[in-house]
Amino acid sequence: STSAYTNPDNDPRGPWKLDPITAHNAYSADYKVEKPNGVVLSRPPGRYWAFSEESWKAKVAAGEVIWGDGDSYPMIKRYLSDVQDGLVPVTIFTRKFAGDTAAAKGEVDDLLHAQGVFDYPKPVLLVKRLIQIFARPGELVMDFFAGSGTTGHAVMVEGSESGQRKFVLVQLPEVLNASDESQLAAATYCDQLGKPRNIAELTKERLRRAGAKIKADNPEWQGDTGFRVYKLDHSNIRAWQPSGDLERDLIDSIDHIVPGRTEQDILTELLLKLGLDLCIPIEQRQIAGKTVHAIGAGVLMACLDTRITPDEAEPLALGIAEWRSELAPAGDTTCVFRDSAFTNDEAKTNLALTLEQHGIRHVRSL
């Protein structure tokens, strides 16, 4: 209560109340305190000083200590201004913003149209308040234990109200066991979605539904509630692994791309290796019958088609150069192709020379 704060000595810092200088284990601080009357005090058994020795000396120098008589323990001034300017006490914060587990659980149940998928989700209001305190618009919020996806949900809600932030959520694809009663509802829900039984799938579904709800609740808001999902994997580029049969190894290495990898897989690795943002805009266009991707307004252009003939090389290069001119990127453009796509050296050389003639000098092959 603020009524407990008074200012009997007209302290210029305003009203204050007394707090003990000991705690159970605040700093594990163990030093001697000497009072002005010459009495030297040790910490009480089972307790420690509430401040480091350096902080204690600073408070003494600032006149924030009430020494008391005889061998009594000193008390410290706790100023009302420190409480008002700082964060609210944890108990008040939790009561006001966190609500209770049942309410948070109901919040997720309503969103997923299913009961008991998550037993103990965090309340959106609580995480939203933390975001307001610690993350300004445009900054990045990270959650390494995404669980039900409350953090991502809260970031999107706050973004629709006070300015967008980015979020990165990390969630292992922990397998759900339908024979475990506590996981049955979650596993069954994955089955209904036609998704693998793991927590990461539930996280993604919650984020999709949260984004749709935010858009529906704010029809005039033009913000972004989309997200991309990435999984940790080995490189798309096949490593040289000699088996002892040189001829076979050479034939197997003609195509440097690991079998089964998609164009999106390869593009993601290119972004990472070139230091580009994974959320950078990506456009695509059909040029000379090939799919060409323009990343970051033409900073990176990639054609990952599996076959480029000499007859196709020049029109493909001219189309890429024309598109780059439309995009007008701020810096140089890097073009990337599959090395195995060129049916012969003539196709590769003609394409590279045509691009160079039109100002695209950075041509790389995978």
Side-chain angles (χ1 to χ4, degrees):
S1 171
T2 58
S3 61
Y5 291 84
T6 60
N7 193 5
D9 59 355
N10 294 317
D11 191 307
R13 292 191 58 187
W16 51 268
K17 70 175 183 177
L18 292 176
D19 274 359
I21 65 168
T22 59
H24 286 293
N25 195 18
Y27 286 93
S28 297
D30 187 9
Y31 50 88
K32 304 293 185 183
V33 169
E34 183 174 355
K35 299 181 65 172
N37 62 7
V39 174
V40 177
L41 300 172
S42 299
R43 62 178 176 83
R47 294 178 70 85
Y48 293 86
W49 304 122
F51 311 95
S52 67
E53 187 170 9
E54 182 180 0
S55 296
W56 168 252
K57 290 179 178 178
K59 291 184 179 297
V60 171
E64 297 178 9
V65 179
I66 303 298
W67 292 102
D69 299 327
D71 61 355
S72 63
Y73 280 86
M75 301 285 279
I76 197 77
K77 288 184 176 181
R78 179 73 65 188
Y79 291 95
L80 178 60
S81 59
D82 290 341
V83 177
Q84 291 174 328
D85 294 341
L87 298 181
V88 295
V90 172
T91 52
I92 298 175
F93 182 89
T94 304
R95 190 179 303 118
K96 181 175 181 180
F97 295 106
D100 55 58
T101 301
K105 183 174 178 295
E107 183 178 52
V108 177
D109 288 350
D110 291 344
L111 187 65
L112 299 181
H113 303 300
Q115 301 295 312
V117 176
F118 289 103
D119 290 329
Y120 302 103
K122 297 183 291 294
V124 169
L125 190 61
L126 171 62
V127 180
K128 178 172 171 282
R129 179 57 179 152
L130 292 172
I131 292 166
Q132 291 171 346
I133 294 171
F134 296 112
R136 291 186 291 270
E139 293 187 334
L140 178 66
V141 178
M142 298 193 69
D143 186 347
F144 289 97
F145 301 92
S148 67
T150 303
T151 299
H153 187 167
V155 169
M156 291 189 286
V157 171
E158 183 61 23
S160 69
E161 298 174 1
S162 70
Q164 289 198 272
R165 286 91 167 156
K166 298 178 181 179
F167 65 83
V168 174
L169 307 185
V170 180
Q171 177 57 54
L172 295 175
E174 299 177 32
V175 177
L176 295 164
N177 183 5
S179 62
D180 184 336
E181 186 175 351
S182 65
Q183 299 180 25
L184 176 59
T188 301
Y189 190 70
C190 286
D191 292 344
Q192 293 172 356
L193 295 174
K195 303 289 186 180
R197 290 178 175 176
N198 68 65
I199 294 177
E201 294 297 337
L202 298 176
T203 309
K204 291 185 286 185
E205 184 64 20
R206 194 263 180 89
L207 292 174
R208 281 190 285 265
R209 289 174 178 262
K213 184 176 187 302
I214 292 167
K215 287 284 192 179
D217 292 344
N218 303 273
E220 296 184 1
W221 180 64
Q222 299 300 313
D224 183 11
T225 59
F227 62 95
R228 293 179 181 173
V229 179
Y230 296 98
K231 300 177 183 178
L232 186 63
D233 208 333
H234 297 290
S235 172
N236 297 288
I237 310 302
R238 188 200 301 267
W240 173 254
Q241 294 180 325
S243 65
D245 186 338
L246 182 58
E247 183 177 356
R248 167 180 273 181
D249 292 338
L250 290 173
I251 293 173
D252 288 343
S253 296
I254 291 175
D255 189 349
H256 300 304
I257 306 300
V258 174
R261 299 300 173 89
T262 66
E263 289 194 3
Q264 190 61 52
D265 295 333
I266 301 168
L267 284 174
T268 299
E269 183 168 352
L270 286 173
L271 293 179
L272 291 171
K273 288 187 173 180
L274 293 174
L276 299 174
D277 192 325
L278 288 176
C279 293
I280 197 169
I282 299 177
E283 304 175 64
Q284 71 178 45
R285 178 181 291 187
Q286 292 295 311
I287 299 176
K290 314 294 182 185
T291 300
V292 179
H293 304 271
I295 299 97
V299 172
L300 171 66
M301 303 189 77
C303 176
L304 302 175
D305 200 280
T306 57
R307 180 178 172 82
I308 301 174
T309 66
D311 292 338
E312 295 169 330
E314 184 173 356
L316 176 60
L318 290 173
I320 291 173
E322 182 180 354
W323 191 16
R324 177 191 181 273
S325 180
E326 293 175 21
L327 295 169
D332 292 337
T333 295
T334 297
C335 276
V336 179
F337 304 87
R338 286 178 182 255
D339 192 65
S340 60
F342 297 103
T343 56
N344 55 37
D345 290 342
E346 180 186 353
K348 183 176 181 180
T349 302
N350 287 347
L351 184 141
L353 288 174
T354 304
L355 289 173
E356 185 175 0
Q357 289 169 2
H358 290 80
I360 302 176
R361 297 176 178 82
H362 302 288
V363 180
R364 299 173 58 179
S365 57
L366 299 173

